PDB file of all heavy atoms in Angstrom:
ATOM      1  N   ARG A 708       0.859  -1.172   0.000  1.00  0.00           N
ATOM      2  CA  ARG A 708       0.000   0.000   0.000  1.00  0.00           C
ATOM      3  C   ARG A 708       0.898   1.225   0.000  1.00  0.00           C
ATOM      4  O   ARG A 708       2.056   1.167   0.440  1.00  0.00           O
ATOM      5  CB  ARG A 708      -0.935   0.007   1.209  1.00  0.00           C
ATOM      6  CG  ARG A 708      -0.214  -0.093   2.547  1.00  0.00           C
ATOM      7  CD  ARG A 708      -1.191  -0.292   3.683  1.00  0.00           C
ATOM      8  NE  ARG A 708      -0.531  -0.318   4.972  1.00  0.00           N
ATOM      9  CZ  ARG A 708      -1.121  -0.663   6.103  1.00  0.00           C
ATOM     10  NH1 ARG A 708      -2.390  -1.008   6.094  1.00  0.00           N
ATOM     11  NH2 ARG A 708      -0.458  -0.651   7.237  1.00  0.00           N
ATOM     12  N   PRO A 709       0.411   2.370  -0.471  1.00  0.00           N
ATOM     13  CA  PRO A 709       1.258   3.545  -0.649  1.00  0.00           C
ATOM     14  C   PRO A 709       2.022   3.959   0.596  1.00  0.00           C
ATOM     15  O   PRO A 709       3.151   4.404   0.521  1.00  0.00           O
ATOM     16  CB  PRO A 709       0.260   4.628  -1.096  1.00  0.00           C
ATOM     17  CG  PRO A 709      -0.852   3.851  -1.732  1.00  0.00           C
ATOM     18  CD  PRO A 709      -0.954   2.581  -0.954  1.00  0.00           C
ATOM     19  N   GLU A 710       1.368   3.876   1.770  1.00  0.00           N
ATOM     20  CA  GLU A 710       2.013   4.385   2.971  1.00  0.00           C
ATOM     21  C   GLU A 710       2.934   3.369   3.620  1.00  0.00           C
ATOM     22  O   GLU A 710       3.566   3.643   4.628  1.00  0.00           O
ATOM     23  CB  GLU A 710       0.971   4.854   3.990  1.00  0.00           C
ATOM     24  CG  GLU A 710       0.125   3.721   4.616  1.00  0.00           C
ATOM     25  CD  GLU A 710      -1.113   3.407   3.817  1.00  0.00           C
ATOM     26  OE1 GLU A 710      -1.090   3.630   2.590  1.00  0.00           O
ATOM     27  OE2 GLU A 710      -2.095   2.934   4.396  1.00  0.00           O
ATOM     28  N   ALA A 711       3.072   2.171   3.046  1.00  0.00           N
ATOM     29  CA  ALA A 711       3.849   1.104   3.672  1.00  0.00           C
ATOM     30  C   ALA A 711       5.312   1.460   3.915  1.00  0.00           C
ATOM     31  O   ALA A 711       5.831   1.193   4.983  1.00  0.00           O
ATOM     32  CB  ALA A 711       3.748  -0.174   2.846  1.00  0.00           C
ATOM     33  N   PRO A 712       6.043   2.055   2.934  1.00  0.00           N
ATOM     34  CA  PRO A 712       7.457   2.320   3.167  1.00  0.00           C
ATOM     35  C   PRO A 712       7.734   3.175   4.393  1.00  0.00           C
ATOM     36  O   PRO A 712       8.553   2.825   5.226  1.00  0.00           O
ATOM     37  CB  PRO A 712       7.894   3.024   1.877  1.00  0.00           C
ATOM     38  CG  PRO A 712       6.933   2.520   0.846  1.00  0.00           C
ATOM     39  CD  PRO A 712       5.629   2.384   1.577  1.00  0.00           C
ATOM     40  N   ALA A 713       7.029   4.321   4.540  1.00  0.00           N
ATOM     41  CA  ALA A 713       7.243   5.192   5.686  1.00  0.00           C
ATOM     42  C   ALA A 713       6.833   4.508   6.976  1.00  0.00           C
ATOM     43  O   ALA A 713       7.504   4.603   7.994  1.00  0.00           O
ATOM     44  CB  ALA A 713       6.472   6.503   5.497  1.00  0.00           C
ATOM     45  N   HIS A 714       5.710   3.794   6.920  1.00  0.00           N
ATOM     46  CA  HIS A 714       5.204   3.118   8.111  1.00  0.00           C
ATOM     47  C   HIS A 714       6.181   2.030   8.548  1.00  0.00           C
ATOM     48  O   HIS A 714       6.491   1.888   9.716  1.00  0.00           O
ATOM     49  CB  HIS A 714       3.836   2.513   7.809  1.00  0.00           C
ATOM     50  CG  HIS A 714       3.228   1.791   8.968  1.00  0.00           C
ATOM     51  ND1 HIS A 714       2.820   2.449  10.096  1.00  0.00           N
ATOM     52  CD2 HIS A 714       2.998   0.469   9.187  1.00  0.00           C
ATOM     53  CE1 HIS A 714       2.336   1.558  10.957  1.00  0.00           C
ATOM     54  NE2 HIS A 714       2.445   0.348  10.424  1.00  0.00           N
ATOM     55  N   ARG A 715       6.694   1.281   7.587  1.00  0.00           N
ATOM     56  CA  ARG A 715       7.644   0.221   7.886  1.00  0.00           C
ATOM     57  C   ARG A 715       8.912   0.806   8.492  1.00  0.00           C
ATOM     58  O   ARG A 715       9.525   0.232   9.380  1.00  0.00           O
ATOM     59  CB  ARG A 715       7.970  -0.567   6.616  1.00  0.00           C
ATOM     60  CG  ARG A 715       8.881  -1.767   6.850  1.00  0.00           C
ATOM     61  CD  ARG A 715       8.995  -2.627   5.603  1.00  0.00           C
ATOM     62  NE  ARG A 715       9.660  -1.960   4.511  1.00  0.00           N
ATOM     63  CZ  ARG A 715       9.060  -1.527   3.412  1.00  0.00           C
ATOM     64  NH1 ARG A 715       7.764  -1.687   3.255  1.00  0.00           N
ATOM     65  NH2 ARG A 715       9.752  -0.932   2.446  1.00  0.00           N
ATOM     66  N   SER A 716       9.317   1.965   8.011  1.00  0.00           N
ATOM     67  CA  SER A 716      10.514   2.611   8.516  1.00  0.00           C
ATOM     68  C   SER A 716      10.376   2.939   9.996  1.00  0.00           C
ATOM     69  O   SER A 716      11.291   2.729  10.771  1.00  0.00           O
ATOM     70  CB  SER A 716      10.794   3.888   7.717  1.00  0.00           C
ATOM     71  OG  SER A 716      11.902   4.569   8.250  1.00  0.00           O
ATOM     72  N   ARG A 717       9.217   3.456  10.399  1.00  0.00           N
ATOM     73  CA  ARG A 717       8.987   3.766  11.817  1.00  0.00           C
ATOM     74  C   ARG A 717       9.033   2.500  12.655  1.00  0.00           C
ATOM     75  O   ARG A 717       9.601   2.480  13.749  1.00  0.00           O
ATOM     76  CB  ARG A 717       7.637   4.481  11.992  1.00  0.00           C
ATOM     77  CG  ARG A 717       7.616   5.910  11.461  1.00  0.00           C
ATOM     78  CD  ARG A 717       6.419   6.683  11.991  1.00  0.00           C
ATOM     79  NE  ARG A 717       5.163   6.066  11.583  1.00  0.00           N
ATOM     80  CZ  ARG A 717       4.536   6.330  10.433  1.00  0.00           C
ATOM     81  NH1 ARG A 717       5.072   7.191   9.583  1.00  0.00           N
ATOM     82  NH2 ARG A 717       3.388   5.745  10.136  1.00  0.00           N
ATOM     83  N   SER A 718       8.434   1.442  12.151  1.00  0.00           N
ATOM     84  CA  SER A 718       8.431   0.171  12.864  1.00  0.00           C
ATOM     85  C   SER A 718       9.848  -0.368  13.026  1.00  0.00           C
ATOM     86  O   SER A 718      10.218  -0.871  14.085  1.00  0.00           O
ATOM     87  CB  SER A 718       7.561  -0.845  12.110  1.00  0.00           C
ATOM     88  OG  SER A 718       7.584  -2.098  12.752  1.00  0.00           O
ATOM     89  N   GLU A 719      10.644  -0.245  11.964  1.00  0.00           N
ATOM     90  CA  GLU A 719      12.031  -0.708  12.011  1.00  0.00           C
ATOM     91  C   GLU A 719      12.837   0.082  13.030  1.00  0.00           C
ATOM     92  O   GLU A 719      13.672  -0.469  13.755  1.00  0.00           O
ATOM     93  CB  GLU A 719      12.678  -0.581  10.626  1.00  0.00           C
ATOM     94  CG  GLU A 719      12.219  -1.616   9.622  1.00  0.00           C
ATOM     95  CD  GLU A 719      12.777  -2.998   9.925  1.00  0.00           C
ATOM     96  OE1 GLU A 719      13.796  -3.085  10.637  1.00  0.00           O
ATOM     97  OE2 GLU A 719      12.188  -3.988   9.464  1.00  0.00           O
ATOM     98  N   ILE A 720      12.609   1.388  13.077  1.00  0.00           N
ATOM     99  CA  ILE A 720      13.328   2.243  14.024  1.00  0.00           C
ATOM    100  C   ILE A 720      12.992   1.857  15.458  1.00  0.00           C
ATOM    101  O   ILE A 720      13.871   1.744  16.317  1.00  0.00           O
ATOM    102  CB  ILE A 720      13.001   3.734  13.768  1.00  0.00           C
ATOM    103  CG1 ILE A 720      13.605   4.184  12.428  1.00  0.00           C
ATOM    104  CG2 ILE A 720      13.522   4.604  14.905  1.00  0.00           C
ATOM    105  CD1 ILE A 720      13.166   5.557  11.983  1.00  0.00           C
ATOM    106  N   VAL A 721      11.713   1.644  15.722  1.00  0.00           N
ATOM    107  CA  VAL A 721      11.282   1.255  17.069  1.00  0.00           C
ATOM    108  C   VAL A 721      11.862  -0.111  17.426  1.00  0.00           C
ATOM    109  O   VAL A 721      12.361  -0.323  18.536  1.00  0.00           O
ATOM    110  CB  VAL A 721       9.740   1.221  17.161  1.00  0.00           C
ATOM    111  CG1 VAL A 721       9.300   0.661  18.510  1.00  0.00           C
ATOM    112  CG2 VAL A 721       9.165   2.615  16.957  1.00  0.00           C
ATOM    113  N   TYR A 722      11.807  -1.028  16.481  1.00  0.00           N
ATOM    114  CA  TYR A 722      12.356  -2.370  16.701  1.00  0.00           C
ATOM    115  C   TYR A 722      13.837  -2.297  17.069  1.00  0.00           C
ATOM    116  O   TYR A 722      14.285  -2.903  18.045  1.00  0.00           O
ATOM    117  CB  TYR A 722      12.156  -3.207  15.436  1.00  0.00           C
ATOM    118  CG  TYR A 722      12.971  -4.468  15.376  1.00  0.00           C
ATOM    119  CD1 TYR A 722      12.570  -5.621  16.051  1.00  0.00           C
ATOM    120  CD2 TYR A 722      14.157  -4.518  14.633  1.00  0.00           C
ATOM    121  CE1 TYR A 722      13.323  -6.786  15.995  1.00  0.00           C
ATOM    122  CE2 TYR A 722      14.913  -5.675  14.573  1.00  0.00           C
ATOM    123  CZ  TYR A 722      14.500  -6.803  15.249  1.00  0.00           C
ATOM    124  OH  TYR A 722      15.250  -7.937  15.199  1.00  0.00           O
ATOM    125  N   ALA A 723      14.601  -1.549  16.281  1.00  0.00           N
ATOM    126  CA  ALA A 723      16.040  -1.440  16.525  1.00  0.00           C
ATOM    127  C   ALA A 723      16.325  -0.795  17.876  1.00  0.00           C
ATOM    128  O   ALA A 723      17.229  -1.214  18.604  1.00  0.00           O
ATOM    129  CB  ALA A 723      16.697  -0.638  15.401  1.00  0.00           C
ATOM    130  N   GLN A 724      15.538   0.235  18.232  1.00  0.00           N
ATOM    131  CA  GLN A 724      15.754   0.929  19.497  1.00  0.00           C
ATOM    132  C   GLN A 724      15.451   0.033  20.692  1.00  0.00           C
ATOM    133  O   GLN A 724      16.214  -0.006  21.669  1.00  0.00           O
ATOM    134  CB  GLN A 724      14.890   2.190  19.563  1.00  0.00           C
ATOM    135  CG  GLN A 724      15.083   3.005  20.840  1.00  0.00           C
ATOM    136  CD  GLN A 724      16.518   3.469  21.008  1.00  0.00           C
ATOM    137  OE1 GLN A 724      17.039   4.191  20.150  1.00  0.00           O
ATOM    138  NE2 GLN A 724      17.172   3.077  22.095  1.00  0.00           N
ATOM    139  N   LEU A 725      14.356  -0.699  20.630  1.00  0.00           N
ATOM    140  CA  LEU A 725      13.985  -1.577  21.741  1.00  0.00           C
ATOM    141  C   LEU A 725      14.993  -2.716  21.894  1.00  0.00           C
ATOM    142  O   LEU A 725      15.342  -3.104  23.015  1.00  0.00           O
ATOM    143  CB  LEU A 725      12.580  -2.133  21.527  1.00  0.00           C
ATOM    144  CG  LEU A 725      11.442  -1.123  21.643  1.00  0.00           C
ATOM    145  CD1 LEU A 725      10.096  -1.795  21.363  1.00  0.00           C
ATOM    146  CD2 LEU A 725      11.432  -0.470  23.017  1.00  0.00           C
ATOM    147  N   LYS A 726      15.458  -3.235  20.782  1.00  0.00           N
ATOM    148  CA  LYS A 726      16.458  -4.303  20.837  1.00  0.00           C
ATOM    149  C   LYS A 726      17.750  -3.771  21.442  1.00  0.00           C
ATOM    150  O   LYS A 726      18.419  -4.455  22.225  1.00  0.00           O
ATOM    151  CB  LYS A 726      16.708  -4.847  19.430  1.00  0.00           C
ATOM    152  CG  LYS A 726      17.342  -6.222  19.412  1.00  0.00           C
ATOM    153  CD  LYS A 726      17.255  -6.826  18.027  1.00  0.00           C
ATOM    154  CE  LYS A 726      17.690  -8.278  18.028  1.00  0.00           C
ATOM    155  NZ  LYS A 726      17.569  -8.889  16.690  1.00  0.00           N
ATOM    156  N   GLN A 727      18.101  -2.531  21.102  1.00  0.00           N
ATOM    157  CA  GLN A 727      19.295  -1.911  21.681  1.00  0.00           C
ATOM    158  C   GLN A 727      19.099  -1.650  23.170  1.00  0.00           C
ATOM    159  O   GLN A 727      20.032  -1.786  23.964  1.00  0.00           O
ATOM    160  CB  GLN A 727      19.607  -0.602  20.952  1.00  0.00           C
ATOM    161  CG  GLN A 727      20.964   0.000  21.319  1.00  0.00           C
ATOM    162  CD  GLN A 727      22.114  -0.895  20.917  1.00  0.00           C
ATOM    163  OE1 GLN A 727      22.148  -1.413  19.808  1.00  0.00           O
ATOM    164  NE2 GLN A 727      23.059  -1.099  21.820  1.00  0.00           N
ATOM    165  N   ASP A 728      17.885  -1.280  23.559  1.00  0.00           N
ATOM    166  CA  ASP A 728      17.589  -1.061  24.979  1.00  0.00           C
ATOM    167  C   ASP A 728      17.794  -2.338  25.788  1.00  0.00           C
ATOM    168  O   ASP A 728      18.274  -2.302  26.924  1.00  0.00           O
ATOM    169  CB  ASP A 728      16.142  -0.574  25.156  1.00  0.00           C
ATOM    170  CG  ASP A 728      15.949   0.870  24.723  1.00  0.00           C
ATOM    171  OD1 ASP A 728      16.959   1.563  24.503  1.00  0.00           O
ATOM    172  OD2 ASP A 728      14.785   1.287  24.578  1.00  0.00           O
ATOM    173  N   VAL A 729      17.419  -3.473  25.202  1.00  0.00           N
ATOM    174  CA  VAL A 729      17.635  -4.756  25.872  1.00  0.00           C
ATOM    175  C   VAL A 729      19.127  -5.053  25.955  1.00  0.00           C
ATOM    176  O   VAL A 729      19.634  -5.469  27.005  1.00  0.00           O
ATOM    177  CB  VAL A 729      16.890  -5.893  25.132  1.00  0.00           C
ATOM    178  CG1 VAL A 729      17.248  -7.247  25.738  1.00  0.00           C
ATOM    179  CG2 VAL A 729      15.376  -5.678  25.205  1.00  0.00           C
ATOM    180  N   ALA A 730      19.843  -4.816  24.859  1.00  0.00           N
ATOM    181  CA  ALA A 730      21.281  -5.083  24.830  1.00  0.00           C
ATOM    182  C   ALA A 730      22.048  -4.182  25.785  1.00  0.00           C
ATOM    183  O   ALA A 730      23.058  -4.590  26.370  1.00  0.00           O
ATOM    184  CB  ALA A 730      21.818  -4.907  23.411  1.00  0.00           C
ATOM    185  N   ASP A 731      21.557  -2.946  25.973  1.00  0.00           N
ATOM    186  CA  ASP A 731      22.221  -1.988  26.862  1.00  0.00           C
ATOM    187  C   ASP A 731      21.705  -2.060  28.296  1.00  0.00           C
ATOM    188  O   ASP A 731      22.086  -1.243  29.140  1.00  0.00           O
ATOM    189  CB  ASP A 731      22.029  -0.560  26.337  1.00  0.00           C
ATOM    190  CG  ASP A 731      22.809  -0.301  25.064  1.00  0.00           C
ATOM    191  OD1 ASP A 731      23.753  -1.061  24.787  1.00  0.00           O
ATOM    192  OD2 ASP A 731      22.487   0.667  24.347  1.00  0.00           O
ATOM    193  N   PHE A 732      20.787  -3.027  28.553  1.00  0.00           N
ATOM    194  CA  PHE A 732      20.225  -3.234  29.890  1.00  0.00           C
ATOM    195  C   PHE A 732      19.386  -2.065  30.383  1.00  0.00           C
ATOM    196  O   PHE A 732      19.205  -1.877  31.580  1.00  0.00           O
ATOM    197  CB  PHE A 732      21.339  -3.546  30.906  1.00  0.00           C
ATOM    198  CG  PHE A 732      22.266  -4.627  30.452  1.00  0.00           C
ATOM    199  CD1 PHE A 732      23.589  -4.352  30.152  1.00  0.00           C
ATOM    200  CD2 PHE A 732      21.804  -5.921  30.284  1.00  0.00           C
ATOM    201  CE1 PHE A 732      24.437  -5.345  29.695  1.00  0.00           C
ATOM    202  CE2 PHE A 732      22.638  -6.915  29.835  1.00  0.00           C
ATOM    203  CZ  PHE A 732      23.957  -6.628  29.537  1.00  0.00           C
ATOM    204  N   LYS A 733      18.858  -1.267  29.437  1.00  0.00           N
ATOM    205  CA  LYS A 733      17.860  -0.278  29.808  1.00  0.00           C
ATOM    206  C   LYS A 733      16.533  -0.988  30.046  1.00  0.00           C
ATOM    207  O   LYS A 733      15.679  -0.509  30.778  1.00  0.00           O
ATOM    208  CB  LYS A 733      17.722   0.783  28.706  1.00  0.00           C
ATOM    209  CG  LYS A 733      18.980   1.633  28.535  1.00  0.00           C
ATOM    210  CD  LYS A 733      18.834   2.606  27.386  1.00  0.00           C
ATOM    211  CE  LYS A 733      20.114   3.415  27.199  1.00  0.00           C
ATOM    212  NZ  LYS A 733      20.021   4.323  26.029  1.00  0.00           N
ATOM    213  N   LEU A 734      16.373  -2.123  29.383  1.00  0.00           N
ATOM    214  CA  LEU A 734      15.283  -3.049  29.645  1.00  0.00           C
ATOM    215  C   LEU A 734      15.933  -4.383  30.007  1.00  0.00           C
ATOM    216  O   LEU A 734      16.706  -4.925  29.213  1.00  0.00           O
ATOM    217  CB  LEU A 734      14.386  -3.226  28.416  1.00  0.00           C
ATOM    218  CG  LEU A 734      13.525  -2.033  28.000  1.00  0.00           C
ATOM    219  CD1 LEU A 734      12.878  -2.300  26.636  1.00  0.00           C
ATOM    220  CD2 LEU A 734      12.443  -1.770  29.049  1.00  0.00           C
ATOM    221  N   VAL A 735      15.669  -4.895  31.192  1.00  0.00           N
ATOM    222  CA  VAL A 735      16.304  -6.138  31.632  1.00  0.00           C
ATOM    223  C   VAL A 735      15.245  -7.214  31.827  1.00  0.00           C
ATOM    224  O   VAL A 735      14.040  -6.913  31.948  1.00  0.00           O
ATOM    225  CB  VAL A 735      17.086  -5.932  32.956  1.00  0.00           C
ATOM    226  CG1 VAL A 735      18.168  -4.894  32.787  1.00  0.00           C
ATOM    227  CG2 VAL A 735      16.145  -5.529  34.088  1.00  0.00           C
ATOM    228  N   PRO A 736      15.647  -8.496  31.841  1.00  0.00           N
ATOM    229  CA  PRO A 736      14.685  -9.585  32.036  1.00  0.00           C
ATOM    230  C   PRO A 736      13.776  -9.353  33.235  1.00  0.00           C
ATOM    231  O   PRO A 736      14.249  -9.056  34.334  1.00  0.00           O
ATOM    232  CB  PRO A 736      15.584 -10.809  32.246  1.00  0.00           C
ATOM    233  CG  PRO A 736      16.801 -10.486  31.445  1.00  0.00           C
ATOM    234  CD  PRO A 736      17.016  -9.007  31.640  1.00  0.00           C
ATOM    235  N   GLY A 737      12.481  -9.454  32.991  1.00  0.00           N
ATOM    236  CA  GLY A 737      11.501  -9.238  34.050  1.00  0.00           C
ATOM    237  C   GLY A 737      10.842  -7.875  34.009  1.00  0.00           C
ATOM    238  O   GLY A 737       9.775  -7.676  34.593  1.00  0.00           O
ATOM    239  N   ASP A 738      11.471  -6.903  33.344  1.00  0.00           N
ATOM    240  CA  ASP A 738      10.888  -5.561  33.242  1.00  0.00           C
ATOM    241  C   ASP A 738       9.541  -5.622  32.521  1.00  0.00           C
ATOM    242  O   ASP A 738       9.386  -6.309  31.514  1.00  0.00           O
ATOM    243  CB  ASP A 738      11.820  -4.628  32.473  1.00  0.00           C
ATOM    244  CG  ASP A 738      12.879  -4.002  33.356  1.00  0.00           C
ATOM    245  OD1 ASP A 738      12.874  -4.273  34.566  1.00  0.00           O
ATOM    246  OD2 ASP A 738      13.723  -3.250  32.824  1.00  0.00           O
ATOM    247  N   ARG A 739       8.579  -4.851  33.043  1.00  0.00           N
ATOM    248  CA  ARG A 739       7.261  -4.764  32.414  1.00  0.00           C
ATOM    249  C   ARG A 739       7.037  -3.351  31.904  1.00  0.00           C
ATOM    250  O   ARG A 739       7.507  -2.377  32.498  1.00  0.00           O
ATOM    251  CB  ARG A 739       6.163  -5.128  33.418  1.00  0.00           C
ATOM    252  CG  ARG A 739       6.279  -6.556  33.936  1.00  0.00           C
ATOM    253  CD  ARG A 739       5.067  -6.948  34.755  1.00  0.00           C
ATOM    254  NE  ARG A 739       5.158  -8.318  35.239  1.00  0.00           N
ATOM    255  CZ  ARG A 739       4.135  -9.031  35.662  1.00  0.00           C
ATOM    256  NH1 ARG A 739       2.912  -8.500  35.673  1.00  0.00           N
ATOM    257  NH2 ARG A 739       4.302 -10.268  36.082  1.00  0.00           N
ATOM    258  N   PHE A 740       6.319  -3.249  30.801  1.00  0.00           N
ATOM    259  CA  PHE A 740       6.042  -1.947  30.212  1.00  0.00           C
ATOM    260  C   PHE A 740       4.816  -2.066  29.321  1.00  0.00           C
ATOM    261  O   PHE A 740       4.358  -3.171  29.003  1.00  0.00           O
ATOM    262  CB  PHE A 740       7.245  -1.457  29.396  1.00  0.00           C
ATOM    263  CG  PHE A 740       7.676  -2.411  28.317  1.00  0.00           C
ATOM    264  CD1 PHE A 740       7.127  -2.332  27.044  1.00  0.00           C
ATOM    265  CD2 PHE A 740       8.611  -3.390  28.578  1.00  0.00           C
ATOM    266  CE1 PHE A 740       7.503  -3.226  26.051  1.00  0.00           C
ATOM    267  CE2 PHE A 740       9.004  -4.296  27.594  1.00  0.00           C
ATOM    268  CZ  PHE A 740       8.445  -4.209  26.328  1.00  0.00           C
ATOM    269  N   THR A 741       4.286  -0.916  28.924  1.00  0.00           N
ATOM    270  CA  THR A 741       3.112  -0.907  28.050  1.00  0.00           C
ATOM    271  C   THR A 741       3.472  -0.283  26.710  1.00  0.00           C
ATOM    272  O   THR A 741       4.487   0.420  26.579  1.00  0.00           O
ATOM    273  CB  THR A 741       1.960  -0.087  28.676  1.00  0.00           C
ATOM    274  OG1 THR A 741       2.366   1.295  28.755  1.00  0.00           O
ATOM    275  CG2 THR A 741       1.613  -0.613  30.054  1.00  0.00           C
ATOM    276  N   GLU A 742       2.634  -0.538  25.734  1.00  0.00           N
ATOM    277  CA  GLU A 742       2.841   0.062  24.419  1.00  0.00           C
ATOM    278  C   GLU A 742       2.755   1.581  24.503  1.00  0.00           C
ATOM    279  O   GLU A 742       3.500   2.292  23.822  1.00  0.00           O
ATOM    280  CB  GLU A 742       1.797  -0.473  23.436  1.00  0.00           C
ATOM    281  CG  GLU A 742       1.951  -1.949  23.122  1.00  0.00           C
ATOM    282  CD  GLU A 742       0.828  -2.498  22.247  1.00  0.00           C
ATOM    283  OE1 GLU A 742       0.024  -1.676  21.751  1.00  0.00           O
ATOM    284  OE2 GLU A 742       0.756  -3.723  22.069  1.00  0.00           O
ATOM    285  N   SER A 743       1.884   2.070  25.357  1.00  0.00           N
ATOM    286  CA  SER A 743       1.721   3.525  25.507  1.00  0.00           C
ATOM    287  C   SER A 743       2.999   4.164  26.048  1.00  0.00           C
ATOM    288  O   SER A 743       3.411   5.243  25.596  1.00  0.00           O
ATOM    289  CB  SER A 743       0.551   3.832  26.444  1.00  0.00           C
ATOM    290  OG  SER A 743      -0.666   3.398  25.879  1.00  0.00           O
ATOM    291  N   GLU A 744       3.647   3.502  27.010  1.00  0.00           N
ATOM    292  CA  GLU A 744       4.885   4.044  27.587  1.00  0.00           C
ATOM    293  C   GLU A 744       5.984   4.135  26.521  1.00  0.00           C
ATOM    294  O   GLU A 744       6.689   5.146  26.437  1.00  0.00           O
ATOM    295  CB  GLU A 744       5.356   3.150  28.739  1.00  0.00           C
ATOM    296  CG  GLU A 744       4.458   3.233  29.974  1.00  0.00           C
ATOM    297  CD  GLU A 744       4.791   2.179  31.005  1.00  0.00           C
ATOM    298  OE1 GLU A 744       5.546   1.223  30.672  1.00  0.00           O
ATOM    299  OE2 GLU A 744       4.308   2.281  32.146  1.00  0.00           O
ATOM    300  N   ILE A 745       6.091   3.098  25.711  1.00  0.00           N
ATOM    301  CA  ILE A 745       7.096   3.107  24.645  1.00  0.00           C
ATOM    302  C   ILE A 745       6.745   4.155  23.598  1.00  0.00           C
ATOM    303  O   ILE A 745       7.614   4.876  23.094  1.00  0.00           O
ATOM    304  CB  ILE A 745       7.198   1.719  23.980  1.00  0.00           C
ATOM    305  CG1 ILE A 745       7.602   0.658  25.007  1.00  0.00           C
ATOM    306  CG2 ILE A 745       8.194   1.762  22.821  1.00  0.00           C
ATOM    307  CD1 ILE A 745       8.942   0.884  25.645  1.00  0.00           C
ATOM    308  N   SER A 746       5.475   4.259  23.287  1.00  0.00           N
ATOM    309  CA  SER A 746       5.009   5.228  22.302  1.00  0.00           C
ATOM    310  C   SER A 746       5.373   6.649  22.709  1.00  0.00           C
ATOM    311  O   SER A 746       5.871   7.438  21.905  1.00  0.00           O
ATOM    312  CB  SER A 746       3.492   5.093  22.126  1.00  0.00           C
ATOM    313  OG  SER A 746       3.005   6.070  21.234  1.00  0.00           O
ATOM    314  N   VAL A 747       5.129   6.975  23.982  1.00  0.00           N
ATOM    315  CA  VAL A 747       5.435   8.319  24.491  1.00  0.00           C
ATOM    316  C   VAL A 747       6.943   8.549  24.496  1.00  0.00           C
ATOM    317  O   VAL A 747       7.427   9.608  24.088  1.00  0.00           O
ATOM    318  CB  VAL A 747       4.855   8.505  25.907  1.00  0.00           C
ATOM    319  CG1 VAL A 747       5.366   9.799  26.525  1.00  0.00           C
ATOM    320  CG2 VAL A 747       3.330   8.501  25.860  1.00  0.00           C
ATOM    321  N   ARG A 748       7.700   7.558  24.952  1.00  0.00           N
ATOM    322  CA  ARG A 748       9.159   7.719  25.073  1.00  0.00           C
ATOM    323  C   ARG A 748       9.820   7.910  23.717  1.00  0.00           C
ATOM    324  O   ARG A 748      10.748   8.716  23.573  1.00  0.00           O
ATOM    325  CB  ARG A 748       9.766   6.503  25.772  1.00  0.00           C
ATOM    326  CG  ARG A 748      11.283   6.559  25.891  1.00  0.00           C
ATOM    327  CD  ARG A 748      11.804   5.616  26.943  1.00  0.00           C
ATOM    328  NE  ARG A 748      11.661   4.221  26.581  1.00  0.00           N
ATOM    329  CZ  ARG A 748      12.555   3.522  25.868  1.00  0.00           C
ATOM    330  NH1 ARG A 748      13.653   4.128  25.438  1.00  0.00           N
ATOM    331  NH2 ARG A 748      12.367   2.253  25.595  1.00  0.00           N
ATOM    332  N   LEU A 749       9.348   7.199  22.706  1.00  0.00           N
ATOM    333  CA  LEU A 749       9.972   7.283  21.390  1.00  0.00           C
ATOM    334  C   LEU A 749       9.285   8.273  20.456  1.00  0.00           C
ATOM    335  O   LEU A 749       9.750   8.512  19.342  1.00  0.00           O
ATOM    336  CB  LEU A 749       9.993   5.893  20.738  1.00  0.00           C
ATOM    337  CG  LEU A 749      10.781   4.813  21.499  1.00  0.00           C
ATOM    338  CD1 LEU A 749      10.785   3.512  20.714  1.00  0.00           C
ATOM    339  CD2 LEU A 749      12.206   5.274  21.781  1.00  0.00           C
TER     340      LEU A 749
END
């Protein structure tokens, strides 16, 4: 669909950031969070 490239780009950015947060221990095993919290932070 026309908007897919831009939309996919945002998803990729969020994915990469969250994965980096886990690797950097900003998010550690057991941590709980909501989609809204991530949405606001990013």
Side-chain angles (χ1 to χ4, degrees):
R708 56 189 183 190
E710 68 271 28
H714 180 67
R715 184 171 66 252
S716 176
R717 289 196 299 273
S718 178
E719 286 288 339
I720 291 171
V721 173
Y722 165 80
Q724 182 60 60
L725 291 178
K726 200 166 189 178
Q727 190 64 46
D728 286 348
V729 173
D731 290 341
F732 310 113
K733 294 176 182 177
L734 291 171
V735 300
D738 275 359
R739 298 189 179 199
F740 56 89
T741 65
E742 293 175 9
S743 295
E744 290 170 347
I745 300 298
S746 177
V747 171
R748 178 161 69 87
L749 299 183

